[in-house]
Each structure stands twice: as structure tokens, then as C-alpha cells.
Coordinates of all heavy atoms in Angstrom, one line a residue:
M1 N 28.2 9.7 9.0 CA 27.0 9.5 9.9 C 26.6 10.9 10.5 O 27.5 11.6 10.9 CB 27.4 8.5 11.0 CG 26.2 8.0 11.7 SD 26.6 6.7 12.9 CE 27.1 5.4 11.9
A2 N 25.4 11.2 10.6 CA 24.9 12.5 11.1 C 24.9 12.5 12.6 O 24.6 11.5 13.2 CB 23.5 12.7 10.6
R3 N 25.3 13.6 13.2 CA 25.4 13.7 14.6 C 24.2 14.5 15.0 O 23.7 15.5 14.4 CB 26.6 14.5 15.0 CG 27.5 13.7 15.8 CD 28.8 14.6 16.2 NE 28.8 14.8 17.6 CZ 29.0 13.9 18.5 NH1 29.3 12.7 18.2 NH2 29.2 14.3 19.9
Q4 N 23.4 14.1 16.1 CA 22.2 14.8 16.6 C 22.4 15.0 18.1 O 23.1 14.2 18.8 CB 21.0 13.8 16.3 CG 20.7 13.5 14.9 CD 20.3 14.8 14.1 OE1 19.5 15.5 14.6 NE2 20.8 14.9 12.9
S5 N 21.7 16.0 18.5 CA 21.6 16.3 20.0 C 20.1 16.1 20.3 O 19.3 16.7 19.7 CB 22.0 17.7 20.3 OG 21.8 17.9 21.6
I6 N 19.8 15.1 21.2 CA 18.4 14.9 21.6 C 18.3 15.1 23.1 O 19.2 14.8 23.8 CB 17.9 13.5 21.1 CG1 18.8 12.4 21.8 CG2 18.0 13.4 19.6 CD1 18.2 11.0 21.5
T7 N 17.0 15.4 23.5 CA 16.7 15.4 24.9 C 15.8 14.1 25.2 O 14.8 13.9 24.4 CB 15.9 16.6 25.2 OG1 16.7 17.8 24.8 CG2 15.5 16.7 26.6
L8 N 16.2 13.4 26.2 CA 15.5 12.2 26.6 C 14.8 12.4 28.0 O 15.3 13.0 28.8 CB 16.4 10.9 26.7 CG 17.2 10.6 25.5 CD1 18.3 9.6 25.8 CD2 16.3 10.1 24.5
A9 N 13.6 11.7 28.1 CA 13.1 11.6 29.4 C 13.9 10.9 30.4 O 14.7 10.0 29.8 CB 11.7 11.0 29.3
N10 N 13.9 11.2 31.6 CA 14.8 10.6 32.6 C 14.7 9.1 32.5 O 15.7 8.3 32.5 CB 14.5 11.1 33.9 CG 15.1 12.5 34.1 OD1 15.8 13.0 33.4 ND2 14.5 13.2 35.2
Q11 N 13.5 8.5 32.5 CA 13.3 7.1 32.3 C 14.0 6.5 31.1 O 14.6 5.4 31.2 CB 11.8 6.8 32.3 CG 11.0 7.1 33.6 CD 9.6 6.9 33.5 OE1 9.0 7.3 32.3 NE2 8.9 6.4 34.5
N12 N 13.9 7.1 30.0 CA 14.5 6.6 28.8 C 16.0 6.7 28.9 O 16.7 5.8 28.4 CB 14.0 7.4 27.5 CG 12.5 7.1 27.3 OD1 11.9 6.1 27.7 ND2 11.9 8.1 26.6
D13 N 16.5 7.7 29.5 CA 17.9 7.8 29.6 C 18.5 6.7 30.5 O 19.5 6.2 30.2 CB 18.3 9.3 30.1 CG 19.8 9.5 30.1 OD1 20.5 9.2 29.0 OD2 20.4 9.9 31.2
E14 N 17.7 6.5 31.6 CA 18.2 5.4 32.5 C 18.1 4.1 31.9 O 19.0 3.4 32.1 CB 17.3 5.5 33.8 CG 17.6 6.6 34.7 CD 19.0 6.7 35.2 OE1 19.6 5.5 35.5 OE2 19.6 7.7 35.2
W15 N 17.1 3.9 31.1 CA 17.0 2.6 30.4 C 18.1 2.4 29.4 O 18.7 1.3 29.4 CB 15.7 2.5 29.7 CG 15.4 1.2 28.9 CD1 14.9 0.1 29.5 CD2 15.8 0.9 27.6 NE1 15.0 -1.0 28.5 CE2 15.4 -0.5 27.4 CE3 16.4 1.5 26.5 CZ2 15.7 -1.1 26.1 CZ3 16.6 0.9 25.3 CH2 16.2 -0.5 25.1
L16 N 18.5 3.4 28.7 CA 19.7 3.4 27.7 C 20.9 3.1 28.5 O 21.8 2.2 28.1 CB 19.8 4.7 26.9 CG 18.8 4.9 25.8 CD1 18.9 6.3 25.3 CD2 18.9 3.8 24.7
K17 N 21.1 3.8 29.6 CA 22.3 3.6 30.4 C 22.4 2.2 30.9 O 23.5 1.5 30.9 CB 22.4 4.5 31.6 CG 22.6 6.0 31.3 CD 22.6 6.8 32.6 CE 22.9 8.3 32.1 NZ 22.5 9.1 33.3
Q18 N 21.2 1.6 31.3 CA 21.2 0.2 31.8 C 21.6 -0.8 30.7 O 22.3 -1.8 30.9 CB 19.8 -0.2 32.3 CG 19.5 0.5 33.7 CD 18.0 0.3 34.0 OE1 17.4 -0.5 33.4 NE2 17.7 1.0 35.2
Q19 N 21.1 -0.5 29.5 CA 21.4 -1.4 28.4 C 22.9 -1.4 28.0 O 23.5 -2.4 27.7 CB 20.6 -1.0 27.1 CG 19.1 -1.1 27.2 CD 18.6 -2.4 27.8 OE1 18.9 -3.4 27.2 NE2 18.0 -2.4 28.9
V20 N 23.5 -0.3 28.2 CA 25.0 -0.1 27.9 C 25.7 -0.8 29.1 O 26.7 -1.6 28.8 CB 25.4 1.4 27.8 CG1 26.9 1.4 27.7 CG2 24.7 2.0 26.6
A21 N 25.3 -0.6 30.2 CA 25.9 -1.3 31.5 C 25.9 -2.8 31.3 O 26.8 -3.4 31.8 CB 25.3 -0.7 32.7
K22 N 24.7 -3.3 30.8 CA 24.6 -4.7 30.7 C 25.3 -5.2 29.4 O 25.1 -6.4 29.1 CB 23.1 -5.1 30.7 CG 22.3 -4.9 31.9 CD 20.9 -5.4 31.9 CE 20.0 -4.8 30.8 NZ 18.6 -5.2 30.9
E23 N 25.9 -4.4 28.7 CA 26.7 -4.7 27.5 C 25.7 -5.2 26.4 O 26.2 -6.0 25.6 CB 27.7 -5.6 27.7 CG 28.9 -5.0 28.7 CD 30.1 -5.8 28.9 OE1 30.0 -7.1 28.4 OE2 31.0 -5.4 29.6
E24 N 24.4 -4.8 26.4 CA 23.6 -5.1 25.3 C 24.0 -4.2 24.1 O 23.8 -4.7 23.0 CB 22.1 -4.8 25.7 CG 21.5 -5.6 26.8 CD 21.4 -7.1 26.3 OE1 21.0 -7.3 25.2 OE2 21.5 -8.0 27.2
F25 N 24.5 -3.1 24.3 CA 25.0 -2.2 23.3 C 26.2 -1.5 23.8 O 26.5 -1.5 25.0 CB 23.9 -1.1 23.0 CG 22.6 -1.5 22.6 CD1 21.5 -1.7 23.5 CD2 22.4 -1.9 21.3 CE1 20.3 -2.2 23.1 CE2 21.1 -2.3 20.9 CZ 20.0 -2.5 21.8
T26 N 27.0 -1.0 22.8 CA 28.3 -0.5 23.3 C 28.3 1.1 23.7 O 29.1 1.6 24.3 CB 29.4 -0.6 22.1 OG1 28.9 0.0 20.9 CG2 29.6 -2.1 21.9
S27 N 27.1 1.6 23.2 CA 26.8 3.0 23.6 C 25.3 3.3 23.4 O 24.6 2.5 22.9 CB 27.6 3.9 22.5 OG 27.0 3.7 21.2
K28 N 25.0 4.5 24.0 CA 23.6 4.9 23.8 C 23.2 5.1 22.4 O 22.1 4.9 21.9 CB 23.3 6.2 24.8 CG 23.3 5.8 26.3 CD 22.7 7.0 27.1 CE 23.6 8.2 27.2 NZ 22.9 9.2 28.1
S29 N 24.2 5.7 21.7 CA 24.0 5.9 20.3 C 23.6 4.6 19.5 O 22.6 4.5 18.7 CB 25.1 6.6 19.6 OG 25.2 7.9 20.0
E30 N 24.4 3.6 19.8 CA 24.1 2.3 19.2 C 22.7 1.8 19.5 O 22.0 1.3 18.7 CB 25.1 1.3 19.6 CG 24.9 -0.1 18.9 CD 25.9 -1.2 19.4 OE1 26.7 -0.9 20.3 OE2 25.8 -2.3 18.9
A31 N 22.3 2.0 20.8 CA 21.0 1.5 21.2 C 19.8 2.3 20.4 O 18.9 1.7 20.0 CB 20.8 1.7 22.7
V32 N 20.1 3.6 20.4 CA 19.0 4.4 19.7 C 18.9 4.1 18.2 O 17.9 4.0 17.7 CB 19.4 6.0 19.9 CG1 18.5 6.8 18.9 CG2 19.1 6.4 21.4
N33 N 20.0 4.0 17.6 CA 20.0 3.5 16.2 C 19.4 2.1 16.0 O 18.6 1.9 15.0 CB 21.5 3.4 15.6 CG 22.0 4.8 15.1 OD1 21.2 5.4 14.3 ND2 23.1 5.3 15.6
Y34 N 19.6 1.3 16.9 CA 18.9 -0.2 16.8 C 17.4 0.1 16.9 O 16.6 -0.6 16.2 CB 19.5 -1.0 17.9 CG 18.8 -2.3 18.0 CD1 19.0 -3.3 17.1 CD2 17.7 -2.5 19.0 CE1 18.3 -4.6 17.1 CE2 17.0 -3.6 19.1 CZ 17.4 -4.7 18.2 OH 16.6 -5.9 18.3
L35 N 17.0 0.9 17.9 CA 15.5 1.0 18.1 C 14.9 1.7 16.9 O 13.8 1.3 16.6 CB 15.3 1.9 19.4 CG 15.7 1.2 20.7 CD1 15.6 2.1 21.9 CD2 14.9 -0.1 21.0
I36 N 15.5 2.7 16.4 CA 15.0 3.4 15.2 C 15.0 2.4 14.0 O 13.9 2.2 13.3 CB 15.8 4.6 14.7 CG1 15.7 5.7 15.8 CG2 15.5 5.0 13.4 CD1 16.6 6.8 15.7
K37 N 16.0 1.5 13.8 CA 15.9 0.4 12.8 C 14.7 -0.5 13.0 O 14.1 -0.9 12.0 CB 17.2 -0.3 12.8 CG 17.3 -1.3 11.7 CD 18.7 -2.0 11.7 CE 18.8 -3.1 10.6 NZ 18.7 -4.4 11.1
Q38 N 14.6 -0.9 14.3 CA 13.4 -1.8 14.6 C 12.1 -1.1 14.2 O 11.2 -1.8 13.6 CB 13.5 -2.2 16.1 CG 14.6 -3.0 16.5 CD 14.6 -4.4 15.7 OE1 13.6 -5.0 15.7 NE2 15.7 -4.8 15.1
A39 N 11.9 0.1 14.5 CA 10.7 0.8 14.2 C 10.5 0.9 12.7 O 9.5 0.8 12.2 CB 10.7 2.3 14.8
R40 N 11.6 1.2 12.0 CA 11.5 1.3 10.5 C 11.1 0.0 10.0 O 10.2 -0.1 9.1 CB 12.8 1.8 9.9 CG 13.0 3.2 10.3 CD 14.4 3.7 9.7 NE 14.7 3.3 8.4 CZ 16.0 2.8 8.2 NH1 16.9 2.9 9.0 NH2 16.2 2.4 6.9
E41 N 11.6 -1.1 10.4 CA 11.4 -2.5 9.9 C 9.9 -2.9 10.2 O 9.1 -3.5 9.5 CB 12.3 -3.5 10.5 CG 13.7 -3.5 10.0 CD 14.6 -4.4 10.6 OE1 14.3 -5.0 11.6 OE2 15.8 -4.4 10.2
R42 N 9.4 -2.5 11.5 CA 8.0 -2.7 11.8 C 7.0 -1.9 10.9 O 6.0 -2.5 10.4 CB 7.8 -2.3 13.3 CG 6.4 -2.6 13.8 CD 6.1 -2.0 15.1 NE 6.1 -0.6 15.1 CZ 6.8 0.4 15.8 NH1 7.7 -0.2 16.7 NH2 6.7 1.6 15.5
D43 N 7.4 -0.7 10.6 CA 6.6 0.2 9.7 C 6.4 -0.4 8.4 O 5.4 -0.5 7.7 CB 7.1 1.6 9.6 CG 6.8 2.4 10.9 OD1 6.0 1.9 11.8 OD2 7.4 3.5 11.0
A44 N 7.6 -1.0 7.9 CA 7.6 -1.6 6.5 C 6.8 -2.8 6.5 O 6.1 -3.1 5.6 CB 9.1 -1.8 6.2
Y45 N 6.9 -3.6 7.6 CA 6.1 -4.8 7.7 C 4.6 -4.5 7.7 O 3.8 -5.2 7.0 CB 6.5 -5.7 8.8 CG 5.7 -6.9 9.0 CD1 5.8 -8.0 8.3 CD2 4.6 -7.0 10.1 CE1 5.1 -9.2 8.4 CE2 3.9 -8.1 10.2 CZ 4.0 -9.2 9.4 OH 3.3 -10.2 9.5
H46 N 4.3 -3.6 8.4 CA 2.8 -3.1 8.5 C 2.3 -2.6 7.2 O 1.2 -3.0 6.8 CB 2.6 -2.1 9.6 CG 2.7 -2.6 11.0 ND1 2.7 -1.8 12.1 CD2 2.7 -3.8 11.4 CE1 2.8 -2.5 13.2 NE2 2.8 -3.7 12.8
E47 N 3.1 -1.9 6.4 CA 2.8 -1.5 5.1 C 2.6 -2.7 4.2 O 1.6 -2.7 3.4 CB 3.8 -0.5 4.6 CG 3.9 0.8 5.2 CD 5.0 1.7 4.6 OE1 5.6 1.5 3.6 OE2 5.3 2.7 5.3
Y48 N 3.5 -3.7 4.3 CA 3.4 -4.8 3.5 C 2.1 -5.6 3.8 O 1.4 -6.0 2.8 CB 4.6 -5.8 3.7 CG 4.5 -7.1 3.1 CD1 4.8 -7.3 1.8 CD2 4.2 -8.3 3.8 CE1 4.7 -8.6 1.1 CE2 4.1 -9.5 3.2 CZ 4.3 -9.6 1.9 OH 4.3 -10.8 1.3
V49 N 1.8 -5.8 5.0 CA 0.5 -6.4 5.4 C -0.7 -5.8 5.0 O -1.6 -6.3 4.4 CB 0.6 -6.7 6.9 CG1 -0.9 -7.2 7.4 CG2 1.6 -7.7 7.3
Q50 N -0.7 -4.4 5.2 CA -1.8 -3.6 4.6 C -2.0 -3.7 3.2 O -3.1 -3.8 2.7 CB -1.6 -2.1 5.1 CG -2.9 -1.3 4.8 CD -4.1 -1.8 5.6 OE1 -4.0 -1.8 6.8 NE2 -5.1 -2.1 5.0
M51 N -0.9 -3.8 2.4 CA -1.0 -3.9 0.9 C -1.6 -5.3 0.6 O -2.4 -5.4 -0.3 CB 0.5 -3.8 0.4 CG 0.4 -3.9 -1.2 SD 0.8 -5.6 -1.8 CE 2.3 -6.1 -1.0
K52 N -1.2 -6.3 1.3 CA -1.8 -7.6 1.1 C -3.2 -7.6 1.5 O -4.1 -8.3 0.7 CB -1.1 -8.7 1.9 CG 0.3 -9.0 1.5 CD 0.3 -9.7 0.1 CE 1.7 -10.3 -0.3 NZ 1.6 -11.0 -1.5
I53 N -3.6 -7.0 2.5 CA -5.1 -7.0 2.9 C -5.9 -6.2 1.9 O -6.9 -6.7 1.4 CB -5.2 -6.3 4.3 CG1 -4.7 -7.2 5.4 CG2 -6.7 -6.0 4.6 CD1 -4.5 -6.5 6.8
D54 N -5.3 -5.0 1.5 CA -6.0 -4.2 0.4 C -6.2 -5.1 -0.9 O -7.3 -5.1 -1.4 CB -5.3 -2.9 0.1 CG -5.3 -2.0 1.4 OD1 -6.1 -2.2 2.2 OD2 -4.5 -1.1 1.3
R55 N -5.1 -5.8 -1.2 CA -5.2 -6.6 -2.4 C -6.3 -7.7 -2.3 O -7.1 -8.0 -3.2 CB -3.9 -7.2 -2.8 CG -3.9 -8.0 -4.1 CD -2.6 -8.8 -4.3 NE -1.5 -7.9 -4.5 CZ -0.2 -8.4 -4.6 NH1 0.0 -9.8 -4.6 NH2 0.8 -7.6 -4.7
G56 N -6.4 -8.4 -1.1 CA -7.3 -9.4 -0.9 C -8.7 -8.8 -0.9 O -9.7 -9.4 -1.5
L57 N -8.9 -7.6 -0.3 CA -10.2 -7.1 -0.3 C -10.7 -6.7 -1.7 O -11.9 -6.9 -2.1 CB -10.3 -5.8 0.6 CG -10.1 -6.2 2.1 CD1 -9.9 -4.8 2.9 CD2 -11.3 -6.9 2.6
K58 N -9.8 -6.2 -2.5 CA -10.1 -5.8 -3.9 C -10.4 -6.9 -4.8 O -11.1 -6.8 -5.7 CB -9.0 -4.9 -4.5 CG -8.9 -3.6 -3.9 CD -7.6 -2.8 -4.6 CE -7.5 -1.4 -3.9 NZ -6.3 -0.8 -4.3
S59 N -9.9 -8.2 -4.4 CA -10.0 -9.4 -5.3 C -11.5 -9.9 -5.2 O -11.9 -10.7 -6.0 CB -9.1 -10.4 -5.0 OG -9.3 -11.0 -3.7
G60 N -12.2 -9.5 -4.2 CA -13.5 -10.0 -4.0 C -13.6 -11.4 -3.4 O -12.7 -12.0 -2.9
F61 N -14.8 -11.9 -3.4 CA -15.1 -13.3 -2.8 C -15.0 -14.3 -3.8 O -15.3 -14.2 -4.9 CB -16.5 -13.3 -2.0 CG -16.5 -12.4 -0.8 CD1 -17.0 -11.2 -0.9 CD2 -16.1 -12.8 0.4 CE1 -17.1 -10.2 0.2 CE2 -16.1 -12.0 1.5 CZ -16.7 -10.8 1.4
S62 N -14.5 -15.5 -3.3 CA -14.4 -16.6 -4.3 C -15.7 -17.4 -4.1 O -16.4 -17.6 -3.0 CB -13.2 -17.5 -3.7 OG -13.2 -18.7 -4.6
T63 N -16.1 -18.1 -5.2 CA -17.2 -19.0 -5.3 C -16.8 -20.4 -5.2 O -17.5 -21.3 -5.2 CB -17.9 -18.7 -6.5 OG1 -17.1 -19.0 -7.7 CG2 -18.6 -17.3 -6.6
K64 N -15.4 -20.6 -5.0 CA -14.9 -22.0 -5.0 C -15.1 -22.6 -3.6 O -15.1 -21.8 -2.6 CB -13.4 -22.0 -5.3 CG -13.1 -21.5 -6.7 CD -11.6 -21.4 -7.0 CE -11.4 -21.0 -8.4 NZ -9.8 -20.8 -8.6
T65 N -15.2 -23.9 -3.5 CA -15.3 -24.6 -2.2 C -13.9 -24.6 -1.6 O -12.9 -24.4 -2.3 CB -15.8 -26.0 -2.3 OG1 -14.9 -26.7 -3.1 CG2 -17.2 -26.0 -3.2
K66 N -13.9 -24.9 -0.3 CA -12.6 -25.1 0.3 C -11.7 -26.1 -0.3 O -10.5 -26.1 -0.4 CB -12.7 -25.2 1.8 CG -13.4 -26.5 2.3 CD -13.5 -26.4 3.9 CE -14.3 -27.7 4.2 NZ -14.5 -27.7 5.7
E67 N -12.4 -27.2 -0.7 CA -11.7 -28.4 -1.4 C -11.0 -27.9 -2.7 O -9.9 -28.2 -3.0 CB -12.6 -29.5 -1.6 CG -13.1 -30.2 -0.4 CD -14.2 -29.5 0.4 OE1 -14.8 -28.5 -0.2 OE2 -14.4 -29.9 1.6
E68 N -11.8 -27.1 -3.5 CA -11.2 -26.6 -4.7 C -10.1 -25.6 -4.4 O -9.1 -25.6 -5.2 CB -12.3 -25.8 -5.5 CG -13.5 -26.7 -6.0 CD -14.7 -26.0 -6.5 OE1 -15.0 -24.9 -6.0 OE2 -15.2 -26.4 -7.6
L69 N -10.3 -24.8 -3.5 CA -9.1 -23.8 -3.2 C -7.9 -24.7 -2.7 O -6.8 -24.3 -3.2 CB -9.6 -22.9 -2.1 CG -10.6 -21.7 -2.5 CD1 -11.1 -21.1 -1.2 CD2 -10.0 -20.8 -3.5
L70 N -8.1 -25.6 -1.9 CA -6.9 -26.4 -1.5 C -6.3 -27.2 -2.6 O -5.0 -27.1 -2.7 CB -7.4 -27.5 -0.4 CG -6.3 -28.3 0.3 CD1 -5.2 -27.5 0.9 CD2 -6.9 -29.4 1.2
A71 N -7.1 -27.7 -3.5 CA -6.5 -28.4 -4.7 C -5.7 -27.4 -5.6 O -4.6 -27.6 -6.1 CB -7.6 -29.1 -5.5
E72 N -6.2 -26.2 -5.7 CA -5.6 -25.2 -6.5 C -4.2 -24.7 -5.9 O -3.2 -24.6 -6.5 CB -6.4 -24.0 -6.6 CG -5.9 -22.8 -7.5 CD -6.9 -21.7 -7.7 OE1 -8.1 -21.9 -7.7 OE2 -6.4 -20.5 -7.7
I73 N -4.3 -24.6 -4.5 CA -3.0 -24.3 -3.8 C -2.0 -25.4 -4.0 O -0.8 -25.1 -4.2 CB -3.3 -23.9 -2.4 CG1 -4.1 -22.6 -2.3 CG2 -2.0 -23.8 -1.6 CD1 -4.7 -22.3 -0.9
K74 N -2.4 -26.6 -3.8 CA -1.5 -27.7 -3.8 C -0.9 -27.8 -5.3 O 0.3 -28.1 -5.4 CB -2.3 -29.0 -3.5 CG -2.4 -29.2 -2.0 CD -3.0 -30.5 -1.6 CE -3.1 -30.7 -0.1 NZ -3.8 -32.0 0.2
S75 N -1.7 -27.6 -6.3 CA -1.1 -27.6 -7.6 C -0.1 -26.6 -7.9 O 0.8 -26.7 -8.6 CB -2.3 -27.6 -8.7 OG -2.9 -26.3 -8.7
R76 N -0.4 -25.5 -7.3 CA 0.7 -24.4 -7.4 C 2.0 -24.7 -6.7 O 3.1 -24.3 -7.2 CB 0.2 -23.0 -6.9 CG -0.9 -22.4 -7.6 CD -1.3 -21.1 -7.1 NE -2.5 -20.5 -7.6 CZ -3.2 -19.6 -7.1 NH1 -2.8 -19.0 -6.0 NH2 -4.3 -19.2 -7.6
L77 N 1.8 -25.5 -5.7 CA 3.1 -25.8 -4.9 C 3.7 -27.2 -5.4 O 4.7 -27.7 -4.9 CB 2.7 -26.0 -3.4 CG 2.2 -24.7 -2.7 CD1 1.8 -25.1 -1.3 CD2 3.3 -23.7 -2.6
N78 N 3.0 -27.7 -6.3 CA 3.5 -29.1 -6.9 C 3.5 -30.1 -5.9 O 4.5 -30.8 -5.7 CB 4.8 -28.9 -7.6 CG 4.7 -28.1 -8.9 OD1 3.7 -28.1 -9.6 ND2 5.8 -27.3 -9.0
V79 N 2.5 -30.1 -5.0 CA 2.4 -31.2 -3.9 C 1.7 -32.3 -4.3 O 0.7 -32.4 -5.0 CB 1.7 -30.5 -2.6 CG1 1.6 -31.6 -1.6 CG2 2.5 -29.3 -2.2

């Protein structure tokens, strides 16, 4: 595991200390790693959603009625 030295704003350092004191995390390092993991997961989710949006926009508009679309979806789900 890589070791880093970082400088934190006082408010952030106090928050980390409180989290450790409340036993939410065993150390400030664990808390920082958790927060970075959460940020990475959020970024990956946003990329996934953006890809889905882009795919939808590229597919164009449907000429099917909502009933036709619903029937098509149900047939794919074997409902």
C-alpha cells in the first residue's frame, strides 16, 4: 500500500478525528480510503449513466405507441 503525506483543512481534519472517535473508522487513513472509493464509484456510475444517455440520444425517436413499446418490453421479459 502506498504511503502519502497530505495536508488537510482544519475542518476536514476535525471531521476525520470525529469519525475515528465515533468508531465509524479505525483510523483517518481508513476514512480517507473509504471516501476516495466512494468518489471513484460515483464517477463510474456517472460515466455509466452518461453512456446510457448518449446511446439513447443516438438511437433517435421511436414511432411506436406507448402500448406497442410496453408490449415489446413485456415480450422481452416473458411477462
Side-chain angles (χ1 to χ4, degrees):
M1 196 175 290
R3 244 179 113 71
Q4 300 291 318
S5 174
I6 62 172
T7 303
L8 300 171
N10 289 338
Q11 292 172 321
N12 293 337
D13 187 49
E14 286 303 317
W15 184 85
L16 286 171
K17 287 177 185 175
Q18 289 172 8
Q19 298 309 302
V20 173
K22 293 189 298 188
E23 298 182 354
E24 294 291 327
F25 300 98
T26 59
S27 67
K28 290 196 288 185
S29 292
E30 182 184 0
V32 170
N33 275 309
Y34 173 80
L35 295 170
I36 291 170
K37 181 178 183 251
Q38 293 296 311
R40 289 176 40 224
E41 289 173 355
R42 185 189 66 234
D43 289 349
Y45 177 74
H46 286 171
E47 287 175 19
Y48 172 77
V49 169
Q50 188 62 55
M51 181 266 305
K52 290 291 193 176
I53 291 169
D54 293 343
R55 185 186 298 172
L57 291 172
K58 288 178 185 174
S59 72
F61 291 98
S62 176
T63 58
K64 297 177 184 177
T65 66
K66 63 182 176 184
E67 291 80 13
E68 291 171 325
L69 289 170
L70 182 59
E72 184 179 323
I73 292 168
K74 284 184 177 181
S75 71
R76 288 184 194 167
L77 297 174
N78 297 319
V79 175

